[in-house]
Amino acid sequence: MKQQTLAIIKPDGVARKLIGPVITRIENEGLDIKAMKLIKMTKEQAQGFYKVHKGKPFFDSLTDFMSSGPCVVMVLEGDDAIARYRKLMGATDYRKAEEGTIRREYATDIEKNVVHGSDSPESAAFEIGYFFNALEIM
Ligand code: CMP
């Protein structure tokens, strides 16, 4: 079933010039990029995006990090896009991520883990709508 998911190349990935390598992996996986932009979130915008994690010990540090520099936000589309992109990213903790995944190859820290992807159709709908309006999605 065709699905859309929200993908982010986080500030560490952009600063380390990993936009190209991440997009190459997305394209090699056969996922279609339906929308893409470079943005810099404020602390408040990062708090709104990650509101499901409010109250967790890493929330303040995570939202500082996510508002520390530019991110690339993208809408990806394809059959089973949510699960396929999550497999491509690997586990949140790069030390537990499978060999060959983006995080295993590039992440340096559980927080600075290069990429984000929606974890369910409900979160994809919220996250896509957080950054894009209907006219911006091909
Ligand atoms: P992400 O997939 O964007 O979802 C929440 C983010 O919180 C996660 O990636 C990490 O960047 C960050 N994070 C920091 N510490 C933790 C932790 N202990 N568990 C889960 N996520 C964490």
Side-chain angles (χ1 to χ4, degrees):
M1 194 194 57
K2 254 206 166 113
Q3 244 178 4
Q4 290 187 337
T5 191
L6 190 276
I8 303 180
I9 304 175
K10 296 184 178 186
D12 59 329
V14 173
R16 291 169 55 210
K17 306 219 181 298
L18 296 174
I19 297 173
V22 171
I23 289 178
T24 297
R25 281 165 181 258
I26 289 168
E27 293 196 315
N28 287 346
E29 172 59 27
L31 292 165
D32 294 325
I33 298 171
K34 291 291 184 174
M36 176 161 66
K37 57 190 170 189
L38 187 71
I39 55 133
K40 184 174 184 294
M41 282 185 265
T42 63
K43 171 88 173 169
E44 292 68 31
Q45 288 164 339
Q47 287 169 331
F49 179 74
Y50 277 118
K51 65 183 185 191
V52 293
H53 295 300
K54 197 169 180 201
K56 296 198 181 146
F58 57 84
F59 183 70
D60 194 45
S61 168
L62 171 64
T63 52
D64 272 348
F65 163 57
M66 290 300 289
S67 56
S68 68
C71 292
V72 174
V73 289
M74 289 174 273
V75 177
L76 308 182
E77 187 178 277
D79 289 331
D80 212 13
I82 294 172
R84 280 166 67 199
Y85 182 58
R86 287 183 72 78
K87 190 164 165 49
L88 203 59
M89 289 193 301
T92 304
D93 182 348
Y94 72 101
R95 293 166 298 189
K96 295 182 186 147
E98 264 180 61
E99 211 60 64
T101 59
I102 295 169
R103 285 168 169 164
R104 179 61 177 253
E105 185 154 344
Y106 299 116
T108 54
D109 186 285
I110 191 165
E111 178 177 275
K112 293 174 185 62
N113 59 358
V114 184
V115 282
H116 167 85
S118 310
D119 64 3
S120 66
E122 296 70 33
S123 65
F126 166 74
E127 293 180 356
I128 290 169
Y130 200 77
F131 294 114
F132 296 97
N133 66 50
L135 289 174
E136 294 173 307
I137 303 170
M138 299 304 126

